[in-house]
Amino acid sequence: MGKKEKLHDAGGKKIMHPADAVRRQAKKRKLEKTKQERADNFERKMLGTSPEEVEHEIRALKFDHERKRAAKIEVTKHAQDRLTRLEANYKRLKETIQEKHEKRQAEPKSSLHVNFEELKIHRKSSIFYHPINNPYGAPPNGQTLMYRHPDGSVKREPPPLAQEDAAPAAPGFDGPNPDSGSGESEDGASDKGEAKEEDDDDDDDDDMEPMLPSSLPGGMQIGSASSSTGRPLPRGMPPLAPWAFPGLGMPLLPAGMPPLPGGMLPLGMPPLLGGMPPLPPGMPPL
């Protein structure tokens, strides 16, 4: 086979085959189209978010890059490009992003829209609330969120929150005095002083030794009488019981085993009959 011939022009440059030139132009157009589609998608996503979300992501990326540089960790090119693109596009589209966000907030919400910030507060008023199966009160897919009201009705709007001022006061409590300002009155100061003195007296009483009663419930004086007859108790220890120490108050038992009742055999081997020799030790021969 001979060497493939190359076509050159008068200046010495290589002449590309017409089919290769078409393929190269098509590849170039495809790369440009892909690049433009990526830029459009990125811009569309930014316009669909709020300015707070974009700023939060920029701060998070900057903090992550600073942390990696402090720890001598290499920051990837993809992360650097992401931060650069966010900052450049946000600076260019900041006003448009704000307008789009305000317009979305002003639009009427769909009946299937769920405001989860609102649901966190009124989740127990939701008709779908269950303490175990659905503790968040979220509605199933395709159903409208409804709330129960104190009057028994069911509405789309959440019930009003209970006001702290409208809460009933505890029995016997009249509440704070409206005439008294932020400062404390003289009566309040004297009450606090008396309460402090009472607390000090209680602490002193706790340090004292407890006092023992001087009489029993029956009216008997402790240490003065033994019973209702009024006779004084003898001094010293009470007498010991006879069964506590043998020999002091009871007669000792005779030595040996006590006699067996009638009809019972004594323990051990029975005695051999008279005239029979004793058996040899061990097992009998087979």
Side-chain angles (χ1 to χ4, degrees):
M1 293 178 60
K3 187 176 180 181
K4 185 177 180 180
E5 296 182 359
K6 294 182 180 179
L7 302 177
H8 298 275
D9 58 3
K13 294 183 180 180
K14 179 182 176 182
I15 299 176
M16 187 177 299
H17 194 277
D20 293 338
V22 172
R23 284 194 294 266
R24 181 167 295 185
Q25 291 295 331
K27 185 176 180 181
K28 185 178 180 180
R29 288 193 300 267
K30 184 178 180 180
L31 291 176
E32 292 177 354
K33 182 181 178 180
T34 304
K35 184 178 180 181
Q36 185 64 31
E37 289 178 354
R38 289 178 179 175
D40 295 342
N41 291 336
F42 187 83
E43 182 177 341
R44 191 182 305 110
K45 288 182 179 179
M46 287 193 67
L47 294 175
T49 58
S50 63
E52 293 78 10
E53 294 176 353
V54 180
E55 293 174 357
H56 175 72
E57 186 175 359
I58 292 175
R59 288 194 300 268
L61 287 174
K62 287 183 177 180
F63 176 78
D64 185 60
H65 292 179
E66 293 177 359
R67 179 186 62 83
K68 288 184 177 180
R69 292 191 186 99
K72 297 182 180 180
I73 300 176
E74 181 183 1
V75 181
T76 61
K77 186 178 182 300
H78 174 73
Q80 293 177 353
D81 294 343
R82 173 74 176 178
L83 178 59
T84 304
R85 185 190 297 182
L86 274 174
E87 291 178 339
N89 284 273
Y90 182 63
K91 184 178 181 180
R92 180 173 58 89
L93 302 172
K94 184 175 182 180
E95 296 181 359
T96 308
I97 293 174
Q98 183 68 28
E99 293 177 0
K100 294 278 187 181
H101 178 65
E102 293 176 357
K103 184 178 179 181
R104 285 194 301 271
Q105 295 297 324
E107 291 178 355
K109 301 295 187 297
S110 171
S111 60
L112 301 179
H113 175 75
V114 178
N115 188 353
F116 289 97
E117 296 298 331
E118 176 186 279
L119 188 60
K120 288 179 182 178
I121 303 174
H122 306 280
R123 59 186 182 89
K124 291 189 176 181
S125 300
S126 172
I127 61 175
F128 304 102
Y129 172 78
H130 191 275
I132 298 176
N133 298 334
N134 190 7
Y136 298 101
N141 293 334
Q143 297 195 27
T144 305
L145 177 62
M146 304 293 285
Y147 295 99
R148 292 190 182 93
H149 286 249
D151 57 356
S153 61
V154 178
K155 301 179 181 179
R156 180 65 182 86
E157 296 77 15
L161 292 175
Q163 300 294 334
E164 295 181 358
D165 299 338
F173 178 73
D174 297 335
N177 187 5
D179 298 335
S180 61
S182 59
E184 296 180 355
S185 62
E186 296 180 358
D187 297 339
S190 61
D191 295 341
K192 286 190 175 181
E194 294 177 0
K196 185 176 181 181
E197 292 178 359
E198 292 178 359
D199 294 340
D200 296 340
D201 296 341
D202 295 340
D203 295 340
D204 296 339
D205 295 341
D206 294 340
D207 297 338
M208 296 176 60
E209 295 183 358
M211 298 180 64
L212 298 177
S214 59
S215 62
L216 295 176
M220 182 179 62
Q221 297 294 329
I222 297 177
S224 61
S226 60
S227 64
S228 60
T229 58
R231 291 181 298 174
L233 295 175
R235 295 183 178 275
M237 296 292 293
L240 298 176
W243 49 266
F245 295 94
L248 295 181
M250 294 180 62
L252 297 178
L253 295 177
M257 295 292 294
L260 297 174
M264 292 187 65
L265 297 178
L267 300 177
M269 295 294 295
L272 298 175
L273 299 177
M276 295 183 64
L279 297 176
M283 294 292 294
L286 297 177

